Amino acid sequence: MELLQALLLGIKSIHIKSLIFGILVFLSCSASAQYVKIKGVITDSFSKEPIPFVNVVFKGKNVGTTSDLNGKYALDSQWGSSTLIFSSIGYEVQEVDLDESNYQVINIELVPKSQELQTFEITSKKQQYRNKENPAVILIRNVLEHRDENRGKLFDYFEYEKYSKSEYDLNNFTETWLDSKGMEGFQILRDYIDTSELNGKPFVPIVIQEKLATVYERNQGKDSKEIVVATKISGTDDGNFSSGIDQFMTKIGGDVDIYESSILLFDKSFTSPIAAIGPTIYKYYITDSTEIEGVVYKKLSFLPRNHTMTAFTGYMWVGDSTANYGVQKIELNLDKRMNINFLDDMRVTQEFERDSTIGWILIKDIMIVDFQPLGKTLGVFNTKTVSYSNFKVNVERPDEFYKGLNSIVYLPEEEIKSDQYWIEHRHEDLSKGEEGIYFLADSIQNIKQFKVFNTVVQLLGTAYLEVKKVDIGPMTSLVSYNTVEGIRVRAGFRTNLNFSKTWRFTGWGAYGLEDKRFKYFGQAEYYWNKNPYRRLLVSYEENTYQPGLVISNIPPDHYLLSFRRTPSTNMFYEQTIKIQYDHEWFNGLTNTFELNLKNISATRFNPLIHAVTNEVEPSITDNSFTLATRFSLNERFIQGDFKREPIKTISPIFTLKLKYSDPVFGSDYQYGQVYLSIEKRFMPGIFGFTDVEIETAKIFGKVPYPLLLIHRGNETLTYQKTAYNMMNFMEFASDQAIALFLEHHFDGLIFGFLPGVRHFKTRVVVGGKILVGNVTEKNRNIDDPDLILKPERLSSLQGQPYVEGSIGIENIFSIFRIDLVKRFTYLEAPNIGNLLGVKGLGPRIAFKLKF
């Protein structure tokens, strides 16, 4: 999983653990919401033409919407009232009483006012919208012409203080739910209930994270350094989590710069309404005007030309030429029909102020997101409030200050500030509900019903069952099957934070009913620090080993891997002692030092036979040292209890591994190996995003075939992004190779234009993989007595590349992805699979949660 998995990791690292999701699951099981759905069309009573931008609001509530370009509106809420109010500039206000039915169609004709408002310049549907000579488009072009001047980045040096507050709230619950059977322990929630300004839903604050930083910019914003001086998580004393949840919030939505051409939110690239291509993506309308201190401001409303585009709806107040056409306020909203999962509502509001010296500067930024992971039951608000102050210009700082690869730096003492410090330095006081979050979270943890459901949520999310100081599992590997072992049974454990925050022990034992052999694993880890990441690991493992099996996030004995296309006769036994040290020098640069003492031995199906003498080799000893370097500029991550989960961004990721094995270490062979991979995500706005990865590897020296580069196959029905899904396990090997992986996600761009299909919010994804490699002469000389005779099923890629492509549909029911994968080369090979008589064609399925 991506986002939601990261959120579960983050929340679990708080002492409230799965607090939010546990409550969501528990309360949703005992509640059913009564929603009212209203839709209709709003037209002019005189011209009969549709009216866009009409405000439709439940009387006395903060619940409403606006009509689109065709005058259509839709409301879906349980927090409304019995009366709807329709209002628009230039029209008389109308109130309509609702009946008691759940589904209603209300078409309204608004009566124009007698006086004409010159600022009301909406073009009706029947009059074709044009950019040419359109006053609204002329105004946005003036904004574009002056946007660089109004960004506040024209100075050689610019710095300011930045205070941010991120709050999580439970929403969408009713008094009826709290009165239902089994809810007696949750009555404490009543004392913290508030009402959202976004959509009128009641909510209870659960977690708040605060951050205070100073931002320094140089060369008109080209060089930037943010120094975080203080962070705090209310409701926890977990010192590893503050930085992690702050970086997770950038996954949802980082700093929104409306003057940038694209805005990254929810893993998508939105076109800004203030972008050079804005007039081709949006339709603009002047819908109001006002005068403030002699400056005339016009309200410029905007809508995407197609609601499936990754673009906003909203408005901005723009000053006239005396204000340099600066934006004084902007509000960005999302059309609920947009192809984004688990999102019920969102609003970004930014306020700007004009300073006589600096010009236009952003002073406040509020982003409210309403997540509905469980449908129309309970949800989670996330409100991020950022304020800016103490602006300084042309305060020169030395070049060394801006050096370094990370633009965000956390001071060592940023998580140990006193309560008095926060009282003095936060830009706004916490509300009563926010101040009581620690007490609320602690109280909920002790509720019996919550403990039960918290256990269920953790078991479903991690496959481990927490029993005091240890976690039992994973449950997905209790029973599995392979040809070598037959039925395999396994039991294991790992310690948790209740045992130690710095030490972690993991162990398991397994037994094969067919080969009648025990397998073992034991591991000890010590964490000097988790941010920056410093870890020492020592482990011993005696287990079966399948060359070419690399399935992400799934252990090799997962029960799903019991089902594969071919018998697992090409496995080995393996004994490994590993000593590994991970050292993160700074955020984004990590070195891993690894010593592996490995012994590979044959199974009854897969003997090791010398090529010339036909002598049986009992085992191969491969003792090696590996130095790995992973670099990703300003990498963001979520720090869990022990595991760290990186967050995918547009920054490239470089991984370099250098491996060396020598008889001096006790090895049977002397060789070196170099591996390099580069990953990059491209986000071309409305066209979705593309993931590209290039990897290459080379072995220097002579090695037996089990030590060659065994290319990653996949004989399961699951789709694997960086494996060759129509390649068998241990089908191809090389001692030098290069590969290219491409995958483009259209994010609803194609299906969004198809009537009858776009309603389901499915998305098209296409991919391609090319692998070029070969085995050099020194490793394929059959007359060399040092080499091991390779099995008949293992081949090299001599002559032509391996190529496969795929096309799929993702976001099925928001969680499934189905691909049709086609293998284009080496079709004469046995056991490659076929579908409908087409060789090399096969279906694959994946489970993925994402926005």
Side-chain angles (χ1 to χ4, degrees):
M1 305 178 194
E2 289 188 352
L3 177 65
L4 295 182
Q5 181 190 48
L7 180 57
L8 282 169
L9 277 170
I11 291 175
K12 188 177 183 299
S13 73
I14 317 177
H15 293 306
I16 60 176
K17 299 178 183 176
S18 303
L19 176 62
I20 292 178
F21 284 89
I23 297 176
L24 286 177
V25 172
F26 177 75
L27 294 183
S28 63
C29 290
S30 60
S32 59
Q34 185 71 19
Y35 273 74
V36 58
K37 296 184 178 181
I38 306 170
K39 66 178 182 179
V41 180
I42 307 169
T43 56
D44 187 298
S45 62
F46 178 74
S47 67
K48 308 302 180 183
E49 295 172 351
I51 310 173
F53 298 111
V54 177
N55 296 313
V56 186
V57 183
F58 285 106
K59 188 174 183 179
K61 302 289 184 177
N62 295 325
V63 182
T65 186
T66 57
S67 61
D68 64 14
L69 293 175
N70 298 315
K72 294 181 180 180
Y73 74 95
L75 275 173
D76 180 357
S77 178
Q78 69 176 123
W79 309 112
S81 63
S82 60
T83 303
L84 272 185
I85 299 177
F86 298 83
S87 63
S88 181
I89 296 176
Y91 291 89
E92 300 288 348
V93 175
Q94 281 200 37
E95 295 188 8
V96 177
D97 294 329
L98 305 176
D99 57 38
E100 296 181 356
S101 61
N102 293 337
Y103 302 93
Q104 301 178 48
V105 177
I106 300 177
N107 298 321
I108 290 294
E109 291 186 351
L110 294 185
V111 179
K113 290 183 179 179
S114 57
Q115 66 270 26
E116 292 289 337
L117 296 181
Q118 294 180 352
T119 57
F120 186 69
E121 299 172 356
I122 293 179
T123 305
S124 70
K125 177 183 177 183
K126 293 184 179 180
Q127 296 175 345
Q128 185 178 3
Y129 181 92
R130 297 178 183 275
N131 282 343
K132 188 176 181 180
E133 298 180 356
N134 184 333
V137 176
I138 293 174
L139 181 57
I140 193 62
R141 292 197 188 281
N142 283 327
V143 175
L144 287 167
E145 185 178 347
H146 295 83
R147 67 175 180 174
D148 290 338
E149 305 165 25
N150 293 329
R151 298 182 69 175
K153 296 184 178 181
L154 294 179
F155 302 94
D156 291 334
Y157 297 90
F158 185 50
E159 59 188 66
Y160 52 88
E161 186 176 277
K162 176 182 175 183
Y163 167 78
S164 60
K165 177 178 67 177
S166 297
E167 177 180 330
Y168 286 99
D169 315 303
L170 289 177
N171 68 29
N172 218 20
F173 57 88
T174 65
E175 294 286 337
T176 304
W177 295 4
L178 292 176
D179 292 335
S180 61
K181 186 178 180 180
M183 296 297 298
E184 295 80 8
F186 288 93
Q187 299 310 305
I188 189 174
L189 295 176
R190 296 182 187 273
D191 298 331
Y192 295 87
I193 296 175
D194 204 345
T195 302
S196 170
E197 295 182 0
L198 176 64
N199 49 26
K201 293 181 181 180
F203 69 87
V204 174
I206 299 297
V207 178
I208 291 181
Q209 185 255 357
E210 297 179 271
K211 182 178 76 169
L212 189 66
T214 304
V215 179
Y216 305 84
E217 296 180 354
R218 182 177 67 162
N219 296 332
Q220 301 181 16
K222 294 179 181 178
D223 297 326
S224 178
K225 178 82 71 176
E226 179 175 336
I227 298 181
V228 180
V229 298
T231 61
K232 181 180 181 181
I233 296 286
S234 298
T236 178
D237 59 1
D238 188 347
N240 298 304
F241 185 67
S242 298
S243 301
I245 197 171
D246 172 55
Q247 298 191 57
F248 163 72
M249 286 309 303
T250 65
K251 179 81 169 180
I252 297 174
D255 296 335
V256 174
D257 186 347
I258 61 172
Y259 289 105
E260 286 288 344
S261 296
S262 61
I263 297 172
L264 298 181
L265 294 173
F266 314 108
D267 275 344
K268 301 180 187 298
S269 178
F270 289 80
T271 302
S272 171
I274 309 176
I277 63 172
T280 65
I281 303 297
Y282 291 94
K283 291 184 178 181
Y284 300 91
Y285 302 90
I286 298 175
T287 54
D288 200 358
S289 69
T290 188
E291 184 174 328
I292 303 175
E293 298 179 352
V295 179
V296 175
Y297 291 89
K298 292 186 177 182
K299 186 178 182 181
L300 187 62
S301 299
F302 47 85
L303 284 170
R305 293 175 179 264
N306 185 293
H307 68 80
T308 62
M309 292 180 173
T310 47
F312 302 100
T313 64
Y315 66 86
M316 65 183 89
W317 285 95
V318 179
D320 59 19
S321 59
T322 62
N324 207 40
Y325 296 103
V327 176
Q328 188 260 346
K329 183 178 181 179
I330 190 169
E331 181 176 298
L332 305 174
N333 299 282
L334 296 184
D335 191 312
K336 291 187 179 182
R337 296 170 294 177
M338 188 175 293
N339 199 331
I340 301 179
N341 294 327
F342 316 115
L343 191 66
D344 193 58
D345 216 339
M346 188 219 73
R347 177 183 298 161
V348 175
T349 305
Q350 293 187 339
E351 299 177 12
F352 299 81
E353 195 174 81
R354 196 181 188 198
D355 183 272
S356 58
T357 303
I358 302 175
W360 286 101
I361 49 177
L362 176 64
I363 59 171
K364 194 161 190 179
D365 185 356
I366 302 175
M367 179 177 178
I368 307 175
V369 181
D370 183 1
F371 299 104
Q372 294 292 145
L374 300 175
K376 295 297 184 182
T377 56
L378 292 176
V380 178
F381 277 133
N382 172 247
T383 302
K384 180 181 178 182
T385 303
V386 185
S387 57
Y388 308 85
S389 64
N390 298 331
F391 298 94
K392 298 178 182 178
V393 297
N394 292 331
V395 178
E396 186 173 353
R397 297 185 181 274
D399 291 343
E400 290 75 16
F401 180 82
Y402 294 95
K403 285 184 178 179
L405 296 172
N406 285 297
S407 62
I408 302 178
V409 178
Y410 290 82
L411 296 183
E413 67 276 10
E414 46 93 11
E415 291 178 324
I416 55 175
K417 300 296 185 183
S418 65
D419 291 340
Q420 185 61 36
Y421 174 91
W422 285 102
I423 292 175
E424 296 173 356
H425 289 83
R426 63 168 57 100
H427 290 189
E428 57 184 30
D429 295 334
L430 299 181
S431 67
K432 179 182 177 181
E434 293 168 346
E435 290 177 344
I437 284 180
Y438 180 84
F439 174 76
L440 176 64
D442 186 63
S443 300
I444 291 177
Q445 285 186 93
N446 296 318
I447 299 172
K448 180 180 179 180
Q449 299 96 324
F450 172 71
K451 289 182 178 180
V452 173
F453 278 87
N454 180 47
T455 300
V456 173
V457 170
Q458 183 177 1
L459 181 60
L460 293 175
T462 67
Y464 280 87
L465 178 64
E466 181 179 322
V467 181
K468 296 184 178 180
K469 295 184 179 182
V470 298
D471 300 333
I472 306 299
M475 301 302 175
T476 52
S477 297
L478 291 179
V479 180
S480 59
Y481 174 84
N482 63 71
T483 308
V484 172
E485 297 177 274
I487 296 176
R488 171 187 169 117
V489 293
R490 167 178 152 172
F493 77 95
R494 66 186 185 189
T495 60
N496 54 41
L497 289 180
N498 296 324
F499 175 82
S500 173
K501 293 183 177 181
T502 56
W503 285 95
R504 182 179 230 192
F505 297 95
T506 305
W508 56 257
Y511 183 75
L513 300 184
E514 186 70 26
D515 67 350
K516 302 185 184 325
R517 289 182 59 158
F518 285 98
K519 290 84 183 177
Y520 313 93
F521 176 77
Q523 179 173 283
E525 299 169 88
Y526 180 76
Y527 293 80
W528 277 275
N529 207 333
K530 297 177 185 177
N531 187 24
Y533 197 71
R534 311 278 170 82
R535 178 187 70 156
L536 177 65
L537 176 154
V538 179
S539 69
Y540 172 80
E541 182 175 12
E542 183 172 335
N543 200 8
T544 52
Y545 164 61
Q546 171 65 72
L549 171 61
V550 181
I551 306 294
S552 59
N553 298 320
I554 296 180
D557 58 353
H558 193 286
Y559 74 93
L560 289 177
L561 295 177
S562 304
F563 309 96
R564 45 185 282 181
R565 288 197 305 272
T566 65
S568 49
T569 56
N570 50 358
M571 302 175 73
F572 294 104
Y573 292 118
E574 188 176 69
Q575 292 176 302
T576 304
I577 297 175
K578 181 166 71 173
I579 302 174
Q580 177 180 318
Y581 175 63
D582 302 301
H583 189 99
E584 183 181 41
W585 301 94
F586 53 82
N587 184 21
L589 179 62
T590 301
N591 276 128
T592 298
F593 307 86
E594 186 176 310
L595 175 65
N596 274 287
L597 307 178
K598 184 179 297 185
N599 185 270
I600 300 172
S601 57
T603 67
R604 66 185 186 278
F605 298 109
N606 198 23
L608 298 170
I609 302 176
H610 281 281
V612 176
T613 63
N614 286 327
E615 295 180 357
V616 176
E617 183 71 40
S619 65
I620 297 172
T621 300
D622 179 34
N623 299 335
S624 63
F625 177 78
T626 300
L627 170 62
T629 302
R630 188 178 189 277
F631 173 68
S632 181
L633 185 63
N634 295 315
E635 183 173 34
R636 305 189 182 280
F637 58 88
I638 296 298
Q639 177 66 58
D641 288 355
F642 296 96
K643 182 180 179 182
R644 170 180 278 190
E645 187 75 18
I647 295 175
K648 191 76 171 181
T649 67
I650 60 174
S651 297
I653 302 172
F654 300 88
T655 303
L656 175 65
K657 295 181 181 179
L658 305 175
K659 178 181 177 181
Y660 182 67
S661 179
D662 195 287
V664 174
F665 306 149
S667 295
D668 292 338
Y669 296 87
Q670 180 185 29
Y671 71 96
Q673 180 177 320
V674 178
Y675 170 87
L676 173 66
S677 75
I678 303 173
E679 302 174 53
K680 179 74 172 73
R681 171 167 289 183
F682 299 90
M683 304 190 73
I686 63 173
F687 299 102
F689 66 90
T690 303
D691 286 335
V692 180
E693 181 176 356
I694 300 174
E695 66 173 12
T696 183
K698 183 174 177 59
I699 294 176
F700 299 89
K702 184 169 60 176
V703 296
Y705 82 86
L707 301 183
L708 289 173
L709 305 170
I710 308 293
H711 298 299
R712 299 184 296 271
N714 180 20
E715 295 185 18
T716 72
L717 285 176
T718 63
Y719 180 86
Q720 296 298 318
K721 187 175 181 179
T722 56
Y724 305 97
N725 289 287
M726 293 303 295
M727 181 188 293
N728 293 328
F729 294 136
M730 215 168 95
E731 182 179 356
F732 292 106
S734 304
D735 59 12
Q736 56 185 10
I738 184 169
L740 172 66
F741 301 87
L742 290 170
E743 193 171 87
H744 182 77
H745 301 251
F746 285 94
D747 269 0
L749 179 64
I750 295 178
F751 283 171
F753 292 96
L754 300 179
V757 178
R758 59 189 177 198
H759 171 74
F760 297 101
K761 294 188 176 182
T762 51
R763 308 163 185 169
V764 176
V765 55
V766 296
K769 300 172 184 180
I770 302 175
L771 170 65
V772 179
N774 73 316
V775 178
T776 56
E777 178 65 25
K778 62 179 175 295
N779 286 317
R780 57 185 172 89
N781 183 6
I782 60 174
D783 296 325
D784 191 332
D786 290 336
L787 296 185
I788 302 295
L789 188 66
K790 70 177 182 65
E792 189 173 322
R793 65 179 296 170
L794 182 64
S795 305
S796 70
L797 290 164
Q798 210 87 27
Q800 66 174 326
Y802 174 89
V803 181
E804 73 177 29
S806 64
I807 181 169
I809 301 174
E810 59 180 349
N811 208 42
I812 302 171
F813 304 118
S814 300
I815 57 175
F816 290 109
R817 166 178 171 175
I818 298 177
D819 285 78
L820 198 60
V821 185
K822 180 66 173 74
R823 171 172 170 164
F824 295 104
T825 56
Y826 297 96
L827 295 176
E828 70 284 355
N831 302 317
I832 64 171
N834 69 84
L835 180 66
L836 301 176
V838 180
K839 208 168 185 181
L841 183 68
R844 294 294 181 269
I845 188 170
F847 174 81
K848 200 173 189 66
L849 293 172
K850 56 186 292 188
F851 281 121

